[in-house]
Amino acid sequence: MEDGVPFYLQIADLIRQQILAGRYRAGEKLPSVRDLAVELRVNPNTVARAYMLLQTEGTLEGRHGGGSFVTQPEDTTRLLARRTVEAELQKAIDSARRFGLKTSDIREIFEKNLLSTPEDPQP
Amino acid sequence: MEDGVPFYLQIADLIRQQILAGRYRAGEKLPSVRDLAVELRVNPNTVARAYMLLQTEGTLEGRHGGGSFVTQPEDTTRLLARRTVEAELQKAIDSARRFGLKTSDIREIFEKNLLSTPEDPQP
DNA sequence: GCATTTGTATTAAAAGAGTAGTACACTATA
DNA sequence: TATAGTGTACTACTCTTTTAATACAAATGC
């Protein structure tokens, strides 16, 4: 695993993407924190932290002693998409504010870019 | 200065906005790191760090022993800001499209986040 | 029931970010 | 040239974040 961004965040991203890609489906069991820790050559607690993060996001459910499971897919995916997009938009808005742009300016730029992209392509 | 976001970033924002507002023009000399440090009741190094950040952005030029000067014309800076924000917004929109979100959904998320960050009052 | 596997909690160590203190190097100007 | 003012480099200290070590608790499978 490469550095720059904390391991537990990288791991959370990994799991998220694998779920979105269909690698794990609803109700399916994920690798145990220890197994994944061995595979990724990292401390079990680091994986545990990633799993806990995903739990608070509503992506995972941890059953004490039983394992970790993917929660309902439609909701999860929707929520996941929303969170991701939300975070990225927020980042853009933040730097816009940082540059001193006004709300109306930001909105204008956004609308222009939003409408310049087609409705559904890019799988 | 209020906390939450590091001082040196707040200071960089301040300078950027003042340049954008026309308070400082191209080639004009900025307050020395020590003067500004006194005024803001902060360590000179903290101001220096803000200035260095602005230098890497191409906004400032530091002349060793001479002072710090605005390099870019305001218009260029403004354009740079626009380009940056545009790129980041586009990135967010792209991933939203990739998730299959509809235009109206993206707009809704954007507006919610946009309004959650208040407009900066001009100091 | 018991041993193993699992998630979780607690604590400590390591790493990083932010700020401050000090010293250095260069410039302007008297 | 001398002096004061300037940006910069280096170091250390503090606080938060991240990771690791260990122990605990619940569930599974024999």
Side-chain angles (χ1 to χ4, degrees), chain A residues 6-35:
Chain A
F7 285 161
Y8 77 98
L9 283 182
Q10 294 185 49
I11 295 169
D13 290 347
L14 184 72
I15 302 297
R16 267 196 223 97
Q17 290 181 4
Q18 289 187 332
I19 291 175
L20 282 173
R23 168 72 186 80
Y24 296 108
R25 298 181 176 281
E28 200 163 341
K29 191 173 183 177
L30 291 163
S32 77
V33 292
R34 286 171 182 80
D35 283 355

mmCIF file of all heavy atoms in Angstrom, chain A residues 6-35:
data_model
loop_
_atom_site.group_PDB
_atom_site.id
_atom_site.type_symbol
_atom_site.label_atom_id
_atom_site.label_comp_id
_atom_site.label_asym_id
_atom_site.label_seq_id
_atom_site.Cartn_x
_atom_site.Cartn_y
_atom_site.Cartn_z
ATOM 1 N N PRO A 6 -3.735 8.070 4.745
ATOM 2 C CA PRO A 6 -3.697 7.037 5.775
ATOM 3 C C PRO A 6 -4.205 5.679 5.289
ATOM 4 O O PRO A 6 -5.123 5.620 4.472
ATOM 5 C CB PRO A 6 -4.603 7.581 6.871
ATOM 6 C CG PRO A 6 -4.651 9.033 6.655
ATOM 7 C CD PRO A 6 -4.348 9.294 5.223
ATOM 8 N N PHE A 7 -3.625 4.635 5.831
ATOM 9 C CA PHE A 7 -3.997 3.283 5.434
ATOM 10 C C PHE A 7 -5.484 3.020 5.601
ATOM 11 O O PHE A 7 -6.132 2.477 4.711
ATOM 12 C CB PHE A 7 -3.209 2.266 6.265
ATOM 13 C CG PHE A 7 -1.782 2.153 5.852
ATOM 14 C CD1 PHE A 7 -0.842 1.594 6.705
ATOM 15 C CD2 PHE A 7 -1.361 2.599 4.612
ATOM 16 C CE1 PHE A 7 0.485 1.485 6.325
ATOM 17 C CE2 PHE A 7 -0.032 2.491 4.219
ATOM 18 C CZ PHE A 7 0.882 1.928 5.091
ATOM 19 N N TYR A 8 -6.019 3.392 6.755
ATOM 20 C CA TYR A 8 -7.404 3.018 7.030
ATOM 21 C C TYR A 8 -8.367 3.672 6.033
ATOM 22 O O TYR A 8 -9.399 3.104 5.699
ATOM 23 C CB TYR A 8 -7.780 3.360 8.477
ATOM 24 C CG TYR A 8 -8.066 4.806 8.752
ATOM 25 C CD1 TYR A 8 -9.369 5.279 8.779
ATOM 26 C CD2 TYR A 8 -7.042 5.712 8.994
ATOM 27 C CE1 TYR A 8 -9.644 6.602 9.049
ATOM 28 C CE2 TYR A 8 -7.299 7.024 9.262
ATOM 29 C CZ TYR A 8 -8.597 7.477 9.286
ATOM 30 O OH TYR A 8 -8.858 8.790 9.555
ATOM 31 N N LEU A 9 -7.992 4.841 5.521
ATOM 32 C CA LEU A 9 -8.813 5.478 4.500
ATOM 33 C C LEU A 9 -8.676 4.761 3.162
ATOM 34 O O LEU A 9 -9.650 4.549 2.446
ATOM 35 C CB LEU A 9 -8.409 6.946 4.350
ATOM 36 C CG LEU A 9 -8.913 7.886 5.450
ATOM 37 C CD1 LEU A 9 -8.494 9.316 5.161
ATOM 38 C CD2 LEU A 9 -10.427 7.789 5.577
ATOM 39 N N GLN A 10 -7.466 4.364 2.838
ATOM 40 C CA GLN A 10 -7.244 3.630 1.600
ATOM 41 C C GLN A 10 -8.024 2.330 1.607
ATOM 42 O O GLN A 10 -8.629 1.931 0.610
ATOM 43 C CB GLN A 10 -5.754 3.333 1.421
ATOM 44 C CG GLN A 10 -4.890 4.562 1.203
ATOM 45 C CD GLN A 10 -3.442 4.188 0.899
ATOM 46 O OE1 GLN A 10 -3.181 3.352 0.051
ATOM 47 N NE2 GLN A 10 -2.509 4.817 1.602
ATOM 48 N N ILE A 11 -7.995 1.670 2.761
ATOM 49 C CA ILE A 11 -8.705 0.404 2.874
ATOM 50 C C ILE A 11 -10.209 0.610 2.724
ATOM 51 O O ILE A 11 -10.883 -0.143 2.026
ATOM 52 C CB ILE A 11 -8.386 -0.263 4.229
ATOM 53 C CG1 ILE A 11 -6.898 -0.623 4.279
ATOM 54 C CG2 ILE A 11 -9.240 -1.495 4.441
ATOM 55 C CD1 ILE A 11 -6.413 -1.047 5.649
ATOM 56 N N ALA A 12 -10.713 1.648 3.365
ATOM 57 C CA ALA A 12 -12.148 1.950 3.251
ATOM 58 C C ALA A 12 -12.525 2.208 1.797
ATOM 59 O O ALA A 12 -13.545 1.695 1.314
ATOM 60 C CB ALA A 12 -12.492 3.158 4.120
ATOM 61 N N ASP A 13 -11.700 2.970 1.099
ATOM 62 C CA ASP A 13 -11.960 3.242 -0.315
ATOM 63 C C ASP A 13 -11.983 1.950 -1.115
ATOM 64 O O ASP A 13 -12.853 1.726 -1.961
ATOM 65 C CB ASP A 13 -10.882 4.164 -0.888
ATOM 66 C CG ASP A 13 -10.988 5.567 -0.323
ATOM 67 O OD1 ASP A 13 -12.027 5.873 0.302
ATOM 68 O OD2 ASP A 13 -10.049 6.357 -0.501
ATOM 69 N N LEU A 14 -11.009 1.097 -0.816
ATOM 70 C CA LEU A 14 -10.905 -0.179 -1.519
ATOM 71 C C LEU A 14 -12.178 -0.987 -1.387
ATOM 72 O O LEU A 14 -12.744 -1.474 -2.375
ATOM 73 C CB LEU A 14 -9.715 -0.961 -0.949
ATOM 74 C CG LEU A 14 -9.384 -2.290 -1.616
ATOM 75 C CD1 LEU A 14 -8.778 -2.041 -2.985
ATOM 76 C CD2 LEU A 14 -8.413 -3.095 -0.757
ATOM 77 N N ILE A 15 -12.635 -1.129 -0.155
ATOM 78 C CA ILE A 15 -13.849 -1.906 0.101
ATOM 79 C C ILE A 15 -15.049 -1.278 -0.598
ATOM 80 O O ILE A 15 -15.839 -1.967 -1.250
ATOM 81 C CB ILE A 15 -14.116 -1.999 1.619
ATOM 82 C CG1 ILE A 15 -12.923 -2.643 2.340
ATOM 83 C CG2 ILE A 15 -15.384 -2.798 1.878
ATOM 84 C CD1 ILE A 15 -12.645 -4.056 1.922
ATOM 85 N N ARG A 16 -15.166 0.027 -0.471
ATOM 86 C CA ARG A 16 -16.260 0.742 -1.126
ATOM 87 C C ARG A 16 -16.301 0.433 -2.616
ATOM 88 O O ARG A 16 -17.338 0.083 -3.172
ATOM 89 C CB ARG A 16 -16.092 2.252 -0.945
ATOM 90 C CG ARG A 16 -16.822 2.816 0.252
ATOM 91 C CD ARG A 16 -16.941 4.315 0.138
ATOM 92 N NE ARG A 16 -16.660 4.971 1.409
ATOM 93 C CZ ARG A 16 -15.506 5.474 1.727
ATOM 94 N NH1 ARG A 16 -14.495 5.407 0.887
ATOM 95 N NH2 ARG A 16 -15.344 6.046 2.891
ATOM 96 N N GLN A 17 -15.154 0.565 -3.250
ATOM 97 C CA GLN A 17 -15.103 0.357 -4.693
ATOM 98 C C GLN A 17 -15.424 -1.075 -5.065
ATOM 99 O O GLN A 17 -16.082 -1.338 -6.068
ATOM 100 C CB GLN A 17 -13.721 0.746 -5.227
ATOM 101 C CG GLN A 17 -13.477 2.241 -5.171
ATOM 102 C CD GLN A 17 -12.121 2.610 -5.734
ATOM 103 O OE1 GLN A 17 -11.391 1.760 -6.243
ATOM 104 N NE2 GLN A 17 -11.774 3.889 -5.643
ATOM 105 N N GLN A 18 -14.958 -2.005 -4.240
ATOM 106 C CA GLN A 18 -15.236 -3.408 -4.534
ATOM 107 C C GLN A 18 -16.723 -3.719 -4.409
ATOM 108 O O GLN A 18 -17.263 -4.528 -5.157
ATOM 109 C CB GLN A 18 -14.414 -4.312 -3.624
ATOM 110 C CG GLN A 18 -12.930 -4.295 -3.983
ATOM 111 C CD GLN A 18 -12.137 -5.309 -3.206
ATOM 112 O OE1 GLN A 18 -12.503 -5.668 -2.101
ATOM 113 N NE2 GLN A 18 -11.027 -5.751 -3.773
ATOM 114 N N ILE A 19 -17.359 -3.061 -3.445
ATOM 115 C CA ILE A 19 -18.800 -3.242 -3.307
ATOM 116 C C ILE A 19 -19.520 -2.660 -4.516
ATOM 117 O O ILE A 19 -20.400 -3.288 -5.102
ATOM 118 C CB ILE A 19 -19.309 -2.584 -2.006
ATOM 119 C CG1 ILE A 19 -18.782 -3.354 -0.792
ATOM 120 C CG2 ILE A 19 -20.830 -2.545 -1.988
ATOM 121 C CD1 ILE A 19 -19.118 -2.713 0.531
ATOM 122 N N LEU A 20 -19.109 -1.451 -4.904
ATOM 123 C CA LEU A 20 -19.737 -0.804 -6.052
ATOM 124 C C LEU A 20 -19.521 -1.605 -7.328
ATOM 125 O O LEU A 20 -20.357 -1.614 -8.218
ATOM 126 C CB LEU A 20 -19.172 0.601 -6.217
ATOM 127 C CG LEU A 20 -19.732 1.641 -5.247
ATOM 128 C CD1 LEU A 20 -19.001 2.951 -5.379
ATOM 129 C CD2 LEU A 20 -21.214 1.840 -5.493
ATOM 130 N N ALA A 21 -18.375 -2.269 -7.385
ATOM 131 C CA ALA A 21 -18.058 -3.045 -8.589
ATOM 132 C C ALA A 21 -18.768 -4.400 -8.596
ATOM 133 O O ALA A 21 -18.664 -5.153 -9.549
ATOM 134 C CB ALA A 21 -16.552 -3.239 -8.696
ATOM 135 N N GLY A 22 -19.454 -4.708 -7.519
ATOM 136 C CA GLY A 22 -20.191 -5.950 -7.461
ATOM 137 C C GLY A 22 -19.392 -7.120 -6.913
ATOM 138 O O GLY A 22 -19.875 -8.250 -6.888
ATOM 139 N N ARG A 23 -18.178 -6.817 -6.476
ATOM 140 C CA ARG A 23 -17.341 -7.882 -5.932
ATOM 141 C C ARG A 23 -17.972 -8.473 -4.671
ATOM 142 O O ARG A 23 -17.884 -9.670 -4.425
ATOM 143 C CB ARG A 23 -15.958 -7.323 -5.628
ATOM 144 C CG ARG A 23 -15.046 -8.210 -4.809
ATOM 145 C CD ARG A 23 -14.543 -9.408 -5.592
ATOM 146 N NE ARG A 23 -13.788 -10.318 -4.726
ATOM 147 C CZ ARG A 23 -14.357 -11.201 -3.906
ATOM 148 N NH1 ARG A 23 -15.677 -11.284 -3.839
ATOM 149 N NH2 ARG A 23 -13.615 -12.007 -3.160
ATOM 150 N N TYR A 24 -18.584 -7.618 -3.874
ATOM 151 C CA TYR A 24 -19.330 -8.083 -2.706
ATOM 152 C C TYR A 24 -20.768 -7.599 -2.818
ATOM 153 O O TYR A 24 -21.020 -6.444 -3.175
ATOM 154 C CB TYR A 24 -18.707 -7.547 -1.413
ATOM 155 C CG TYR A 24 -17.308 -8.051 -1.172
ATOM 156 C CD1 TYR A 24 -16.213 -7.202 -1.314
ATOM 157 C CD2 TYR A 24 -17.081 -9.365 -0.809
ATOM 158 C CE1 TYR A 24 -14.921 -7.664 -1.103
ATOM 159 C CE2 TYR A 24 -15.793 -9.840 -0.594
ATOM 160 C CZ TYR A 24 -14.724 -8.986 -0.737
ATOM 161 O OH TYR A 24 -13.452 -9.441 -0.527
ATOM 162 N N ARG A 25 -21.693 -8.484 -2.520
ATOM 163 C CA ARG A 25 -23.097 -8.121 -2.640
ATOM 164 C C ARG A 25 -23.757 -8.008 -1.274
ATOM 165 O O ARG A 25 -23.137 -8.285 -0.260
ATOM 166 C CB ARG A 25 -23.826 -9.169 -3.493
ATOM 167 C CG ARG A 25 -23.272 -9.237 -4.905
ATOM 168 C CD ARG A 25 -24.000 -10.250 -5.771
ATOM 169 N NE ARG A 25 -23.488 -10.191 -7.135
ATOM 170 C CZ ARG A 25 -23.844 -9.269 -8.018
ATOM 171 N NH1 ARG A 25 -24.734 -8.332 -7.692
ATOM 172 N NH2 ARG A 25 -23.339 -9.258 -9.238
ATOM 173 N N ALA A 26 -25.012 -7.625 -1.307
ATOM 174 C CA ALA A 26 -25.744 -7.401 -0.059
ATOM 175 C C ALA A 26 -25.771 -8.656 0.791
ATOM 176 O O ALA A 26 -26.027 -9.747 0.294
ATOM 177 C CB ALA A 26 -27.165 -6.953 -0.355
ATOM 178 N N GLY A 27 -25.513 -8.519 2.067
ATOM 179 C CA GLY A 27 -25.551 -9.636 2.987
ATOM 180 C C GLY A 27 -24.306 -10.493 2.945
ATOM 181 O O GLY A 27 -24.123 -11.368 3.801
ATOM 182 N N GLU A 28 -23.468 -10.260 1.977
ATOM 183 C CA GLU A 28 -22.267 -11.067 1.828
ATOM 184 C C GLU A 28 -21.242 -10.735 2.921
ATOM 185 O O GLU A 28 -21.174 -9.609 3.414
ATOM 186 C CB GLU A 28 -21.650 -10.824 0.452
ATOM 187 C CG GLU A 28 -20.714 -11.944 0.005
ATOM 188 C CD GLU A 28 -20.457 -11.862 -1.495
ATOM 189 O OE1 GLU A 28 -21.273 -11.202 -2.182
ATOM 190 O OE2 GLU A 28 -19.482 -12.449 -1.959
ATOM 191 N N LYS A 29 -20.469 -11.763 3.248
ATOM 192 C CA LYS A 29 -19.484 -11.603 4.320
ATOM 193 C C LYS A 29 -18.171 -11.087 3.762
ATOM 194 O O LYS A 29 -17.679 -11.574 2.736
ATOM 195 C CB LYS A 29 -19.267 -12.960 4.989
ATOM 196 C CG LYS A 29 -18.469 -12.896 6.284
ATOM 197 C CD LYS A 29 -18.457 -14.284 6.954
ATOM 198 C CE LYS A 29 -17.720 -14.255 8.288
ATOM 199 N NZ LYS A 29 -17.782 -15.570 8.956
ATOM 200 N N LEU A 30 -17.615 -10.152 4.452
ATOM 201 C CA LEU A 30 -16.321 -9.604 4.050
ATOM 202 C C LEU A 30 -15.201 -10.365 4.740
ATOM 203 O O LEU A 30 -15.445 -11.096 5.699
ATOM 204 C CB LEU A 30 -16.248 -8.127 4.433
ATOM 205 C CG LEU A 30 -17.163 -7.206 3.625
ATOM 206 C CD1 LEU A 30 -17.324 -5.871 4.327
ATOM 207 C CD2 LEU A 30 -16.599 -7.016 2.231
ATOM 208 N N PRO A 31 -13.979 -10.221 4.252
ATOM 209 C CA PRO A 31 -12.833 -10.841 4.928
ATOM 210 C C PRO A 31 -12.749 -10.343 6.363
ATOM 211 O O PRO A 31 -13.074 -9.190 6.640
ATOM 212 C CB PRO A 31 -11.621 -10.360 4.128
ATOM 213 C CG PRO A 31 -12.128 -9.686 2.920
ATOM 214 C CD PRO A 31 -13.590 -9.481 3.038
ATOM 215 N N SER A 32 -12.308 -11.190 7.265
ATOM 216 C CA SER A 32 -12.168 -10.774 8.654
ATOM 217 C C SER A 32 -11.071 -9.719 8.758
ATOM 218 O O SER A 32 -10.190 -9.630 7.895
ATOM 219 C CB SER A 32 -11.804 -11.968 9.522
ATOM 220 O OG SER A 32 -10.445 -12.300 9.371
ATOM 221 N N VAL A 33 -11.146 -8.922 9.780
ATOM 222 C CA VAL A 33 -10.154 -7.856 9.959
ATOM 223 C C VAL A 33 -8.741 -8.435 10.001
ATOM 224 O O VAL A 33 -7.807 -7.852 9.444
ATOM 225 C CB VAL A 33 -10.425 -7.051 11.244
ATOM 226 C CG1 VAL A 33 -11.693 -6.247 11.115
ATOM 227 C CG2 VAL A 33 -10.479 -7.944 12.458
ATOM 228 N N ARG A 34 -8.601 -9.601 10.600
ATOM 229 C CA ARG A 34 -7.262 -10.197 10.700
ATOM 230 C C ARG A 34 -6.775 -10.722 9.357
ATOM 231 O O ARG A 34 -5.624 -10.517 8.977
ATOM 232 C CB ARG A 34 -7.271 -11.299 11.743
ATOM 233 C CG ARG A 34 -7.332 -10.769 13.178
ATOM 234 C CD ARG A 34 -7.561 -11.887 14.180
ATOM 235 N NE ARG A 34 -7.681 -11.392 15.558
ATOM 236 C CZ ARG A 34 -8.783 -10.863 16.045
ATOM 237 N NH1 ARG A 34 -9.848 -10.731 15.287
ATOM 238 N NH2 ARG A 34 -8.817 -10.445 17.305
ATOM 239 N N ASP A 35 -7.666 -11.404 8.639
ATOM 240 C CA ASP A 35 -7.271 -11.920 7.322
ATOM 241 C C ASP A 35 -6.853 -10.798 6.394
ATOM 242 O O ASP A 35 -5.801 -10.853 5.752
ATOM 243 C CB ASP A 35 -8.434 -12.701 6.688
ATOM 244 C CG ASP A 35 -8.583 -14.085 7.309
ATOM 245 O OD1 ASP A 35 -7.721 -14.444 8.156
ATOM 246 O OD2 ASP A 35 -9.534 -14.802 6.957
#
